[in-house]
Amino acid sequence: GRIDNDIDLGTLHSYLYAFFNADIVGCNQTAEATARRNSSTNVPGAKWLLHLPQSTQKQEFNDLLKLIPNSDTPDLFGLALNANRMVSLQTVKQLLQSLKLLSVSHVMHAVNHGHQLRETQKKRMTPLLQVWKNIASKVTSSSSSHVVSSSKTTSDDNNPVLNAITLEIEKAASMAKFLHKMFAEIETGLFGNNTASASLMNDIKELIAGIVPWSWNKRWNHGQGPNNPKVFLEELVLRTQYLKNYEQQIRAQTFWTSPMIIGHCFFPIAFLNAFKQFTAHKLNTTMDDLQFECAWDKSTVIQSVDKCVPILNVSGLYLQGALFDGINLTSVSAKDGALSKVPVCYIYYRRQTKSL
């Protein structure tokens, strides 16, 4: 094929470096050439380099071609052995998305009459409308209980971490209110007598294609939310429930001894900034005077920091391309999953060490 992008160029460089060079296919017998040849044969799928013919006989080269594998191994390009799993997952996602878009395009072009088009849109949107109706009550009840709990003032109200979690819950309630309004407009536009606006029809088209409209996703950390509409709605409810639990733990003084998944926050950077601000208050210093630290052994952290320093027990972390048990980092095999879960990580801030 042609070399017309950076990926193709990188692939070519890998081939040239590993196989097609004077040290491998030439007669160079220097120590450096021998070392490179031996290192190349250690690459899985490259054992055929040991059988390179030293003659000009065509049959010997024909036999060599039979030894060369049909596909390359990931580590030839500096990737983990299980990289193919991640590639397969991404390929499947792209394929499914393409099929959904093709299905929508087929519907839009095949249906000529407005009535038939609306009936098709009704049929495609009904499952998603039903999903929202099933979970809308959970969002409403969660928002109502948050209003009641927020009305109770405690000494923790000056806690930046508590304020950040509370703000997250309020933003989730605002997002749920917006979605409830949008679904009401969609239902009225499709099943009622009102005419849907052009922007609403574009949203419906994207939802049928399995894409969350930008007017929705921009409310989730500026477009960082799930792309699948069903997952988007379910995650909104699930994360709101987790945030409510975190709020209760902070008020009950059990938050700092319980594991927390930062990914449950809609705006994780804002939460981490609040955590840093809270630490600065505890140490009676400025945020600029703090440096970030993390560790895998909590006992070591407790011995090295002041008792007043808050330590966040972070769980839900995953590693790609390696395995980690909290002590040792090991290579993955081709049979390992695309992601591997790591133990709880303990993060905190401490005063910067000032050099003399």
Side-chain angles (χ1 to χ4, degrees):
R2 295 176 297 177
I3 308 299
D4 53 9
N5 57 60
D6 292 338
I7 296 178
D8 290 342
L9 187 60
T11 303
L12 175 62
H13 285 166
S14 295
Y15 286 153
L16 293 177
Y17 181 82
F19 305 132
F20 302 101
N21 59 78
D23 293 333
I24 299 299
V25 300
C27 298
N28 192 347
Q29 299 299 324
T30 63
E32 181 181 356
T34 302
R36 285 192 58 186
R37 189 179 298 111
N38 291 337
S39 63
S40 295
T41 57
N42 289 330
V43 176
K47 299 300 183 183
W48 55 273
L49 289 174
L50 295 174
H51 305 281
L52 285 176
Q54 299 298 320
S55 68
T56 57
Q57 298 297 319
K58 179 180 178 181
Q59 185 58 42
E60 292 187 14
F61 283 94
N62 287 338
D63 295 338
L64 174 66
L65 293 176
K66 298 178 182 179
L67 300 176
I68 301 177
N70 295 325
S71 59
D72 299 313
T73 58
D75 57 348
L76 175 62
F77 307 102
L79 301 174
L81 289 176
N82 65 344
N84 285 333
R85 290 181 177 268
M86 183 61 71
V87 173
S88 299
L89 288 175
Q90 294 300 325
T91 302
V92 170
K93 289 181 180 179
Q94 293 175 2
L95 177 61
L96 290 176
Q97 190 61 49
S98 298
L99 290 175
K100 289 180 179 179
L101 292 174
L102 182 62
S103 175
V104 173
S105 177
H106 174 73
V107 168
M108 296 303 178
H109 286 85
V111 180
N112 297 321
H113 303 289
H115 177 72
Q116 293 179 341
L117 177 59
R118 173 167 289 199
E119 290 300 318
T120 303
Q121 290 173 338
K122 287 181 182 180
K123 187 180 299 184
R124 295 291 187 93
M125 284 298 301
T126 296
L128 190 61
L129 287 168
Q130 190 60 46
V131 169
W132 175 249
K133 289 180 180 180
N134 292 337
I135 66 178
S137 59
K138 298 180 182 178
V139 178
T140 304
S141 61
S142 178
S143 301
S144 301
S145 63
H146 176 252
V147 172
V148 175
S149 63
S150 297
S151 63
K152 301 177 181 179
T153 58
T154 66
S155 58
D156 288 334
D157 287 341
N158 292 326
N159 183 338
V161 176
L162 176 60
N163 293 338
I165 295 296
T166 302
L167 183 60
E168 288 270 350
I169 298 173
E170 292 175 354
K171 289 181 178 179
S174 176
M175 193 186 310
K177 184 177 180 180
F178 167 79
L179 292 176
H180 191 70
K181 175 177 176 293
M182 295 304 300
F183 275 111
E185 292 181 3
I186 291 174
E187 191 168 18
T188 303
L190 291 180
F191 297 89
N193 296 324
N194 294 345
T195 302
S197 63
S199 60
L200 184 61
M201 291 304 298
N202 288 332
D203 289 348
I204 292 174
K205 182 178 179 181
E206 288 188 309
L207 290 170
I208 293 177
I211 303 173
V212 176
W214 171 247
S215 60
W216 298 19
N217 209 350
K218 68 180 182 180
R219 297 171 178 266
W220 189 314
N221 197 11
H222 310 294
Q224 299 299 315
N227 293 323
N228 184 285
K230 185 174 182 292
V231 176
F232 186 94
L233 300 177
E234 293 174 344
E235 280 293 310
L236 172 61
V237 178
L238 184 62
R239 295 191 185 204
T240 302
Q241 294 173 345
Y242 277 116
L243 290 168
K244 284 289 298 177
N245 291 335
Y246 295 149
E247 182 191 39
Q248 294 172 1
Q249 290 175 357
I250 294 175
R251 296 185 184 279
Q253 305 295 327
T254 60
F255 178 75
W256 302 107
T257 58
S258 305
M260 188 247 185
I261 298 179
I262 298 178
H264 286 157
C265 297
F266 296 98
F267 298 85
I269 295 180
F271 171 79
L272 290 175
N273 287 335
F275 174 52
K276 186 176 183 179
Q277 183 181 3
F278 180 62
T279 304
H281 289 176
K282 288 291 185 178
L283 295 178
N284 193 25
T285 186
T286 63
M287 294 176 62
D288 293 336
D289 193 38
L290 298 177
Q291 67 180 24
F292 178 83
E293 299 285 349
C294 67
W296 303 99
D297 184 1
K298 190 172 185 178
S299 61
T300 303
V301 177
I302 295 176
Q303 295 174 3
S304 60
V305 299
D306 297 335
K307 293 183 179 181
C308 63
V309 173
I311 303 172
L312 192 62
N313 306 338
V314 180
S315 63
L317 299 178
Y318 291 84
L319 185 64
Q320 181 180 348
L323 302 176
F324 184 63
D325 60 3
I327 300 176
N328 299 314
L329 187 68
T330 57
S331 301
V332 295
S333 66
K335 297 181 179 180
D336 289 319
L339 299 173
S340 61
K341 191 172 183 178
V342 300
V344 174
C345 181
Y346 305 97
I347 66 173
Y348 60 97
Y349 288 93
R350 68 176 181 181
R351 287 189 178 92
Q352 293 184 7
T353 303
K354 297 181 179 180
S355 56
L356 299 177

